[in-house]
């Protein structure tokens, strides 16, 4: 079936450290891929997206590249800040007659000053 | 602020009861999605509507139903509530229905079933 697998958290980093959150997917067809972020007490908001293979999404210093050959969409940031502490969700959207979105389990990130 | 509003913010009710959650999408968005977020199940897609019509169905229980009205607001009805239905319920909207469109999420309704 269709699914999204993210690395388990929590991930704890010091400020200015390099961040990688792994995301791999299984899908029939050609999904669009997304990273959403959820800050405490809020709804999800889009961080970045990629709609076809080899596309790179980027926003606020975060990047992810749609890798069809490895079915991956890993999230990276070169230097994290305390304000990046949140839960990060990898997601895919597929056309299954309607457009269904499948989310990964989420990865909680803590950044220490 | 995403522009998506959800009411109420919190809801506490007893097992066996029925509740209605309301969502107003961003101005101009035709598509509405409902999600359930719980600690053990994560974020689960429930159902999508586009311009008043059901478009996609996910893991929605038969006790749950939804509709989208002509003014594009949507309601999620949960009946015969069980303790396990306690969760955060999110509504999201997007301009169209399509794989590449991002979804804009509301702040959620926290449902507690006692």
């Amino acid at each position: 079936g269709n699914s999204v697998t993210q690395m388990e958290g929590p991930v704890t980093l010091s400020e200015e450290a390099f961040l990688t959150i792994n995301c791999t997917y299984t899908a029939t067809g050609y999904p669009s891929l997304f990273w959403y972020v959820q800050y405490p007490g809020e709804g999800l908001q889009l961080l970045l997206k990629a709609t076809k293979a080899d596309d790179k999404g980027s926003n606020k210093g975060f990047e992810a590249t749609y890798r069809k050959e490895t079915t991956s969409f890993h999230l990276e940031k070169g230097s994290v800040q305390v304000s990046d502490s949140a839960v990060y969700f990898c997601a895919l959207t597929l056309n299954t007659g309607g457009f269904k979105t499948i989310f990964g389990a989420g990865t909680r990130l803590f950044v220490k000053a | 602020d995403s522009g998506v509003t959800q009411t109420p913010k919190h809801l506490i009710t007893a097992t066996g009861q029925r509740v209605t959650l309301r969502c107003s999408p961003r101005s101009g968005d035709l598509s509405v999605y409902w999600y359930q977020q719980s600690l053990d199940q994560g974020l689960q897609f429930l159902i999508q509507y586009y311009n008043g019509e059901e478009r996609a169905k996910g893991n929605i229980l038969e006790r749950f139903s939804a509709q989208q009205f002509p003014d594009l607001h949507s309601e999620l009805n949960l009946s015969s509530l069980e303790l396990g239905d306690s969760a955060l319920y999110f509504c999201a909207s997007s301009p169209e229905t399509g794989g590449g469109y991002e979804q804009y999420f509301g702040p959620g309704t926290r449902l507690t079933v006692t």
Side-chain angles (χ1 to χ4, degrees), chain A residues 36-45 81-89 107-111, chain B residues 9-10 37 88 90 106-108 110:
Chain A
Y36 285 85
V37 59
Q38 186 177 28
Y39 297 102
E42 297 183 14
L44 280 70
Q45 52 187 276
Q81 305 300 312
V82 172
S83 58
D84 294 327
S85 298
V87 181
Y88 292 81
F89 291 90
T107 302
R108 185 174 294 276
L109 171 66
F110 292 107
V111 180
Chain B
K9 210 167 180 172
H10 301 278
Q37 186 178 37
L88 257 175
F90 286 107
R110 182 171 292 282

Tab-separated table of all heavy atoms in Angstrom, chain A residues 36-45 81-89 107-111, chain B residues 9-10 37 88 90 106-108 110:
chain	number	residue	atom	x	y	z
A	36	TYR	N	5.586	19.382	6.157
A	36	TYR	CA	4.806	20.314	6.957
A	36	TYR	C	5.445	20.421	8.333
A	36	TYR	O	6.080	19.474	8.810
A	36	TYR	CB	3.363	19.824	7.129
A	36	TYR	CG	2.480	19.989	5.914
A	36	TYR	CD1	2.451	19.033	4.904
A	36	TYR	CD2	1.663	21.111	5.778
A	36	TYR	CE1	1.633	19.190	3.794
A	36	TYR	CE2	0.835	21.268	4.662
A	36	TYR	CZ	0.835	20.302	3.679
A	36	TYR	OH	0.019	20.462	2.584
A	37	VAL	N	5.237	21.569	8.998
A	37	VAL	CA	5.764	21.762	10.346
A	37	VAL	C	4.603	22.145	11.267
A	37	VAL	O	3.679	22.861	10.855
A	37	VAL	CB	6.880	22.836	10.364
A	37	VAL	CG1	6.393	24.177	9.852
A	37	VAL	CG2	7.464	22.985	11.754
A	38	GLN	N	4.639	21.616	12.482
A	38	GLN	CA	3.608	21.915	13.479
A	38	GLN	C	4.277	22.458	14.731
A	38	GLN	O	5.000	21.728	15.420
A	38	GLN	CB	2.786	20.668	13.804
A	38	GLN	CG	1.602	20.930	14.724
A	38	GLN	CD	0.759	19.684	14.987
A	38	GLN	OE1	1.261	18.556	14.953
A	38	GLN	NE2	-0.525	19.884	15.248
A	39	TYR	N	4.033	23.738	15.029
A	39	TYR	CA	4.527	24.330	16.262
A	39	TYR	C	3.534	24.045	17.385
A	39	TYR	O	2.354	23.804	17.128
A	39	TYR	CB	4.734	25.835	16.065
A	39	TYR	CG	5.777	26.140	15.024
A	39	TYR	CD1	5.404	26.536	13.734
A	39	TYR	CD2	7.131	26.007	15.302
A	39	TYR	CE1	6.355	26.792	12.765
A	39	TYR	CE2	8.092	26.258	14.336
A	39	TYR	CZ	7.687	26.648	13.063
A	39	TYR	OH	8.634	26.898	12.093
A	40	PRO	N	3.984	24.066	18.621
A	40	PRO	CA	3.110	23.705	19.742
A	40	PRO	C	1.794	24.465	19.737
A	40	PRO	O	1.774	25.691	19.602
A	40	PRO	CB	3.965	24.063	20.965
A	40	PRO	CG	5.368	23.958	20.493
A	40	PRO	CD	5.352	24.405	19.059
A	41	GLY	N	0.700	23.732	19.857
A	41	GLY	CA	-0.617	24.349	19.949
A	41	GLY	C	-1.177	24.888	18.645
A	41	GLY	O	-2.203	25.574	18.643
A	42	GLU	N	-0.516	24.586	17.536
A	42	GLU	CA	-0.979	25.122	16.253
A	42	GLU	C	-1.294	24.006	15.263
A	42	GLU	O	-0.950	22.842	15.475
A	42	GLU	CB	0.095	26.040	15.659
A	42	GLU	CG	0.384	27.256	16.503
A	42	GLU	CD	1.400	28.172	15.844
A	42	GLU	OE1	1.686	28.007	14.640
A	42	GLU	OE2	1.912	29.053	16.549
A	43	GLY	N	-1.918	24.410	14.144
A	43	GLY	CA	-2.130	23.466	13.054
A	43	GLY	C	-0.854	23.323	12.235
A	43	GLY	O	0.138	24.000	12.473
A	44	LEU	N	-0.899	22.428	11.254
A	44	LEU	CA	0.266	22.230	10.396
A	44	LEU	C	0.380	23.377	9.397
A	44	LEU	O	-0.625	23.950	8.978
A	44	LEU	CB	0.131	20.915	9.619
A	44	LEU	CG	0.484	19.631	10.348
A	44	LEU	CD1	-0.526	19.290	11.414
A	44	LEU	CD2	0.624	18.478	9.354
A	45	GLN	N	1.598	23.679	9.021
A	45	GLN	CA	1.799	24.644	7.947
A	45	GLN	C	2.852	24.110	6.994
A	45	GLN	O	3.794	23.438	7.403
A	45	GLN	CB	2.176	26.030	8.478
A	45	GLN	CG	3.324	26.063	9.450
A	45	GLN	CD	3.517	27.439	10.045
A	45	GLN	OE1	4.162	28.285	9.448
A	45	GLN	NE2	2.965	27.655	11.225
A	81	GLN	N	18.053	26.693	14.486
A	81	GLN	CA	17.867	27.681	15.540
A	81	GLN	C	16.879	27.142	16.569
A	81	GLN	O	16.091	26.228	16.264
A	81	GLN	CB	17.307	28.988	14.948
A	81	GLN	CG	18.152	29.551	13.813
A	81	GLN	CD	19.558	29.866	14.260
A	81	GLN	OE1	19.759	30.505	15.304
A	81	GLN	NE2	20.557	29.416	13.507
A	82	VAL	N	16.878	27.736	17.751
A	82	VAL	CA	15.938	27.308	18.792
A	82	VAL	C	14.499	27.396	18.281
A	82	VAL	O	13.662	26.539	18.581
A	82	VAL	CB	16.115	28.158	20.065
A	82	VAL	CG1	15.023	27.868	21.072
A	82	VAL	CG2	17.491	27.905	20.693
A	83	SER	N	14.235	28.402	17.466
A	83	SER	CA	12.877	28.605	16.943
A	83	SER	C	12.437	27.526	15.943
A	83	SER	O	11.261	27.473	15.564
A	83	SER	CB	12.779	29.974	16.268
A	83	SER	OG	13.746	30.069	15.231
A	84	ASP	N	13.348	26.655	15.550
A	84	ASP	CA	12.991	25.533	14.656
A	84	ASP	C	12.415	24.351	15.432
A	84	ASP	O	11.978	23.366	14.830
A	84	ASP	CB	14.206	25.058	13.859
A	84	ASP	CG	14.705	26.096	12.875
A	84	ASP	OD1	13.872	26.847	12.336
A	84	ASP	OD2	15.940	26.172	12.665
A	85	SER	N	12.421	24.425	16.743
A	85	SER	CA	11.871	23.341	17.564
A	85	SER	C	10.387	23.178	17.251
A	85	SER	O	9.600	24.127	17.386
A	85	SER	CB	12.052	23.646	19.048
A	85	SER	OG	13.414	23.744	19.379
A	86	ALA	N	10.015	21.996	16.799
A	86	ALA	CA	8.642	21.742	16.334
A	86	ALA	C	8.550	20.266	15.953
A	86	ALA	O	9.515	19.519	16.088
A	86	ALA	CB	8.307	22.610	15.118
A	87	VAL	N	7.375	19.876	15.446
A	87	VAL	CA	7.215	18.529	14.889
A	87	VAL	C	7.152	18.655	13.379
A	87	VAL	O	6.399	19.492	12.858
A	87	VAL	CB	5.945	17.838	15.431
A	87	VAL	CG1	5.821	16.430	14.840
A	87	VAL	CG2	5.974	17.773	16.946
A	88	TYR	N	7.920	17.849	12.685
A	88	TYR	CA	8.005	17.897	11.233
A	88	TYR	C	7.349	16.645	10.634
A	88	TYR	O	7.643	15.525	11.055
A	88	TYR	CB	9.472	18.002	10.792
A	88	TYR	CG	10.067	19.330	11.188
A	88	TYR	CD1	10.519	19.538	12.487
A	88	TYR	CD2	10.128	20.381	10.285
A	88	TYR	CE1	11.028	20.769	12.876
A	88	TYR	CE2	10.644	21.619	10.654
A	88	TYR	CZ	11.087	21.803	11.953
A	88	TYR	OH	11.581	23.031	12.333
A	89	PHE	N	6.471	16.873	9.651
A	89	PHE	CA	5.740	15.785	9.016
A	89	PHE	C	6.081	15.725	7.537
A	89	PHE	O	5.984	16.729	6.830
A	89	PHE	CB	4.223	15.995	9.127
A	89	PHE	CG	3.672	15.870	10.510
A	89	PHE	CD1	3.595	16.976	11.342
A	89	PHE	CD2	3.213	14.648	10.982
A	89	PHE	CE1	3.073	16.864	12.627
A	89	PHE	CE2	2.692	14.524	12.253
A	89	PHE	CZ	2.625	15.634	13.080
A	107	THR	N	8.260	13.826	13.251
A	107	THR	CA	9.528	13.778	13.986
A	107	THR	C	9.638	15.048	14.815
A	107	THR	O	9.600	16.156	14.272
A	107	THR	CB	10.729	13.700	13.019
A	107	THR	OG1	10.593	12.540	12.196
A	107	THR	CG2	12.043	13.626	13.801
A	108	ARG	N	9.741	14.857	16.132
A	108	ARG	CA	9.850	16.022	17.014
A	108	ARG	C	11.305	16.454	17.084
A	108	ARG	O	12.204	15.637	17.304
A	108	ARG	CB	9.331	15.693	18.408
A	108	ARG	CG	9.300	16.885	19.351
A	108	ARG	CD	8.649	16.529	20.677
A	108	ARG	NE	7.237	16.222	20.529
A	108	ARG	CZ	6.270	17.129	20.495
A	108	ARG	NH1	6.562	18.406	20.573
A	108	ARG	NH2	5.015	16.764	20.382
A	109	LEU	N	11.545	17.736	16.879
A	109	LEU	CA	12.886	18.319	16.939
A	109	LEU	C	12.982	19.275	18.115
A	109	LEU	O	12.134	20.165	18.267
A	109	LEU	CB	13.194	19.086	15.637
A	109	LEU	CG	14.457	19.933	15.629
A	109	LEU	CD1	15.705	19.046	15.728
A	109	LEU	CD2	14.536	20.798	14.378
A	110	PHE	N	13.990	19.071	18.956
A	110	PHE	CA	14.321	20.006	20.027
A	110	PHE	C	15.667	20.633	19.696
A	110	PHE	O	16.627	19.911	19.436
A	110	PHE	CB	14.436	19.297	21.383
A	110	PHE	CG	13.138	18.771	21.920
A	110	PHE	CD1	12.868	17.404	21.913
A	110	PHE	CD2	12.192	19.623	22.464
A	110	PHE	CE1	11.669	16.906	22.415
A	110	PHE	CE2	10.991	19.131	22.974
A	110	PHE	CZ	10.732	17.774	22.949
A	111	VAL	N	15.740	21.952	19.729
A	111	VAL	CA	17.003	22.642	19.514
A	111	VAL	C	17.365	23.388	20.794
A	111	VAL	O	16.579	24.207	21.282
A	111	VAL	CB	16.936	23.622	18.327
A	111	VAL	CG1	18.291	24.307	18.144
A	111	VAL	CG2	16.524	22.901	17.055
B	9	LYS	N	-13.087	25.419	19.592
B	9	LYS	CA	-11.673	25.138	19.818
B	9	LYS	C	-11.517	23.884	20.686
B	9	LYS	O	-10.627	23.064	20.467
B	9	LYS	CB	-11.031	26.333	20.513
B	9	LYS	CG	-9.583	26.501	20.189
B	9	LYS	CD	-9.091	27.862	20.631
B	9	LYS	CE	-7.620	27.973	20.274
B	9	LYS	NZ	-7.073	29.282	20.462
B	10	HIS	N	-12.378	23.789	21.677
B	10	HIS	CA	-12.368	22.636	22.574
B	10	HIS	C	-13.787	22.128	22.732
B	10	HIS	O	-14.735	22.915	22.707
B	10	HIS	CB	-11.852	23.023	23.972
B	10	HIS	CG	-10.476	23.586	23.980
B	10	HIS	ND1	-9.343	22.811	23.951
B	10	HIS	CD2	-10.040	24.870	24.010
B	10	HIS	CE1	-8.274	23.581	23.969
B	10	HIS	NE2	-8.670	24.840	24.000
B	37	GLN	N	-5.971	13.690	14.485
B	37	GLN	CA	-4.624	13.519	15.025
B	37	GLN	C	-4.709	12.994	16.450
B	37	GLN	O	-5.235	13.659	17.344
B	37	GLN	CB	-3.840	14.832	14.995
B	37	GLN	CG	-2.376	14.660	15.414
B	37	GLN	CD	-1.586	15.949	15.327
B	37	GLN	OE1	-2.081	17.028	15.623
B	37	GLN	NE2	-0.332	15.851	14.892
B	88	LEU	N	-7.394	15.443	18.305
B	88	LEU	CA	-7.450	16.747	17.651
B	88	LEU	C	-7.987	16.519	16.253
B	88	LEU	O	-7.477	15.645	15.537
B	88	LEU	CB	-6.044	17.334	17.537
B	88	LEU	CG	-5.600	18.417	18.479
B	88	LEU	CD1	-4.142	18.746	18.244
B	88	LEU	CD2	-6.446	19.666	18.342
B	90	PHE	N	-8.464	18.259	12.645
B	90	PHE	CA	-8.046	19.383	11.811
B	90	PHE	C	-8.842	19.414	10.526
B	90	PHE	O	-9.149	18.383	9.921
B	90	PHE	CB	-6.564	19.263	11.443
B	90	PHE	CG	-5.628	19.564	12.556
B	90	PHE	CD1	-4.919	18.555	13.182
B	90	PHE	CD2	-5.431	20.876	12.984
B	90	PHE	CE1	-4.045	18.823	14.205
B	90	PHE	CE2	-4.560	21.154	14.014
B	90	PHE	CZ	-3.869	20.128	14.631
B	106	GLY	N	-6.340	24.561	9.573
B	106	GLY	CA	-6.911	25.335	10.668
B	106	GLY	C	-6.238	24.984	11.981
B	106	GLY	O	-5.399	24.077	12.027
B	107	PRO	N	-6.606	25.671	13.060
B	107	PRO	CA	-5.971	25.460	14.363
B	107	PRO	C	-6.429	24.189	15.071
B	107	PRO	O	-5.839	23.793	16.068
B	107	PRO	CB	-6.375	26.694	15.162
B	107	PRO	CG	-7.655	27.131	14.531
B	107	PRO	CD	-7.564	26.791	13.088
B	108	GLY	N	-7.490	23.576	14.572
B	108	GLY	CA	-7.951	22.313	15.144
B	108	GLY	C	-9.026	22.467	16.196
B	108	GLY	O	-9.192	23.531	16.797
B	110	ARG	N	-10.091	20.366	19.628
B	110	ARG	CA	-9.699	19.277	20.527
B	110	ARG	C	-10.952	18.671	21.137
B	110	ARG	O	-11.674	19.352	21.853
B	110	ARG	CB	-8.768	19.773	21.631
B	110	ARG	CG	-8.303	18.628	22.545
B	110	ARG	CD	-7.222	19.059	23.509
B	110	ARG	NE	-5.962	19.385	22.867
B	110	ARG	CZ	-5.081	18.505	22.438
B	110	ARG	NH1	-5.324	17.205	22.562
B	110	ARG	NH2	-3.948	18.915	21.892
